[in-house]
Amino acid sequence: MTLTANWSYPTTIKFGAGRIAELPAACAQAGITRPLLVTDKGLADLPITARTLDIMAAAGLGRGIFSQVDPNPNEKNLEAGVAAYKAGGHDGVIAFGGGSGLDLGKMVAFMCGQTRPVWDYEDIGDWWTRADADAIAPIVAVPTTAGTGSEVGRASVITNSVTHVKKIIFHPKVLPEVVICDPELTVGMPKFITAGTGLDAFAHCVEAFSSPHYHPMSQGIALEGMRLVKDYLPRAYADGTDIEARAQMMSAAMMGATAFQKGLGAIHAMSHPVGAVFHTHHGTTNAVCMPAVLDLNAPEIADRFRTAAAYLDIEGGFDGFRAFVQGFNDSLGIPRSLKDIGVDPARVDELIPEALKDPSCGGNPVKLTEANLRQLFEASL
């Protein structure tokens, strides 16, 4: 470990039940007068979206909405969103929803003034400097799930619809200027989404805590984020109207996304190509992969997870934590194998090279190779 690092931390967050009513003030703070609300297909017709559009209209912000966003958003969704943004004369984006709506909304704001293809801004080296920073529209983010934490992130994941590869597109100005976290918006989430998104937040914290990179602030945030998920996800899963549990899970989601500036690892390196090829739910995929990845990384992370286990009130050190993870998954209805969520074992050879190319590989405490990734996929299948 080298004690040299570059750190950047999140943005203005308005947190609390009922604070969606402050959306007009958030837009004013961001300098937005004609927002386009970007969300996914599943949310477009729900009451929380209708209420948000009513709040916008009452404040003179219009009712602009774009909802042609797939669960794993791709460049076709993005092109359509940018076209809608330009056609409507909008001057900013309200990214509204779970990971797909948030990621696509952020990319619409990013790409509306760029001249190069989105793939030219992939999170590789300094490719982000190719973008015209002054042409990036302001963003207000409103999460409606508690998982990805994309509302406090400087990147989006976009799937290439031709190659079926997920790409991370990064720019510092993609970080939303204002975030409204209103746990009342998450009350209607189905159990399987509550579980999958919550375990996505848990995976972010686990991988950040496991990463060998130096970032003590992230390390502490990851540890407390794990505790919040452990304590409150079962409550949110059992009773979707439990506002305290919903609020704590929204905090955990943001903490996970903040913490993984320290790095992600094999869980996400596996999950990204699986989701791109088989269109699985990202958080659920992470949860299925986690036990095998913990086993692989055990020689490098066992000592630090003894500390984590004690803080989390889990007996047995690393082995106790590993056992807890599988039991936690089971209690939340998570399938035990990738095959159970639609992954074809015969296509593992397609997944391994894409996993090796994924930027998340760099944060895994054990160097990832074709051999140990094959081992991970076979164990998870």
Side-chain angles (χ1 to χ4, degrees):
M1 178 184 293
T2 174
L3 301 184
T4 302
N6 298 320
W7 294 338
S8 176
Y9 261 50
T11 185
T12 300
I13 299 164
K14 299 180 183 297
F15 188 98
R19 297 198 73 175
I20 189 62
E22 299 177 36
L23 182 59
C27 287
Q29 182 177 335
I32 302 172
T33 60
R34 298 181 306 281
L36 176 65
L37 186 144
V38 178
T39 192
D40 63 66
K41 298 171 183 176
L43 278 173
D45 297 323
L46 294 186
I48 57 172
T49 308
R51 180 187 171 206
T52 302
L53 291 170
D54 288 344
I55 291 170
M56 291 165 54
L61 298 172
R63 305 181 66 91
I65 181 171
F66 174 78
S67 62
Q68 297 306 301
V69 181
D70 292 319
N72 289 292
N74 57 49
E75 82 285 0
K76 294 179 180 178
N77 300 153
L78 178 56
E79 290 167 6
V82 169
Y85 181 92
K86 292 178 177 178
H90 298 288
D91 64 353
V93 168
I94 298 171
F96 186 91
S100 56
L102 294 171
D103 276 9
L104 203 282
K106 287 158 57 178
M107 283 296 98
V108 168
F110 174 65
M111 288 298 295
C112 65
Q114 307 304 323
T115 58
R116 301 173 69 146
V118 67
W119 313 125
D120 283 3
Y121 308 110
E122 187 179 352
D123 188 15
I124 297 174
D126 64 353
W127 284 20
W128 64 272
T129 61
R130 298 170 172 177
D132 180 354
D134 294 333
I136 301 172
I139 304 163
V140 172
V142 183
T144 64
T145 66
T148 69
S150 182
E151 64 272 15
V152 292
R154 300 165 298 156
S156 292
V157 178
I158 303 295
T159 300
N160 186 314
S161 64
V162 176
T163 63
H164 303 291
V165 174
K166 287 189 175 185
K167 299 289 187 179
I168 298 172
I169 311 301
F170 167 86
H171 195 282
K173 284 191 69 175
V174 167
L175 180 69
E177 295 190 32
V178 185
V179 178
I180 294 179
C181 275
D182 183 344
E184 291 181 352
L185 301 180
T186 70
V187 165
M189 272 196 295
K191 280 182 176 289
F192 79 96
I193 296 294
T194 297
T197 54
L199 289 168
D200 190 22
F202 191 67
H204 291 160
C205 293
V206 168
E207 292 216 284
F209 196 76
S210 301
S211 168
H213 302 316
Y214 180 65
H215 204 322
M217 291 184 288
S218 282
Q219 195 77 347
I221 290 171
L223 183 59
E224 176 65 1
M226 283 189 275
R227 186 191 70 80
L228 291 180
V229 177
K230 173 182 176 286
D231 290 352
Y232 291 100
L233 180 54
R235 282 176 50 178
Y237 183 76
D239 178 6
T241 65
D242 184 336
I243 289 294
E244 180 188 7
R246 291 295 196 187
Q248 296 284 14
M249 284 305 302
M250 292 194 92
S251 294
M254 289 188 291
M255 292 167 75
T258 301
F260 74 57
Q261 291 190 32
K262 183 172 178 279
L264 292 170
I267 294 172
H268 279 77
M270 297 169 71
S271 184
H272 286 154
V274 167
V277 174
F278 296 102
H279 308 293
T280 57
H281 182 269
H282 175 67
T284 303
T285 310
N286 283 342
V288 174
C289 293
M290 189 180 299
V293 173
L294 287 171
D295 290 341
L296 174 73
N297 289 335
E300 299 296 328
I301 65 174
D303 286 345
R304 77 185 69 173
F305 271 90
R306 288 192 192 98
T307 302
Y311 182 76
L312 297 169
D313 198 25
I314 295 171
E315 295 182 357
F318 174 80
D319 291 339
F321 181 83
R322 165 64 172 82
F324 163 79
V325 165
Q326 187 61 70
F328 201 47
N329 281 357
D330 292 343
S331 72
L332 295 165
I334 300 298
R336 284 229 171 183
S337 77
L338 291 176
K339 187 175 180 180
D340 291 338
I341 59 173
V343 178
D344 181 357
R347 299 182 68 180
V348 166
D349 286 344
E350 297 176 41
L351 302 173
I352 291 172
E354 297 305 327
L356 277 172
K357 289 187 286 187
D358 194 275
S360 301
C361 283
N364 201 68
V366 171
K367 181 178 176 58
L368 294 177
T369 65
E370 181 177 345
N372 60 23
L373 273 166
R374 183 176 298 280
Q375 172 190 335
L376 286 174
F377 277 115
E378 289 177 352
S380 298
L381 280 160

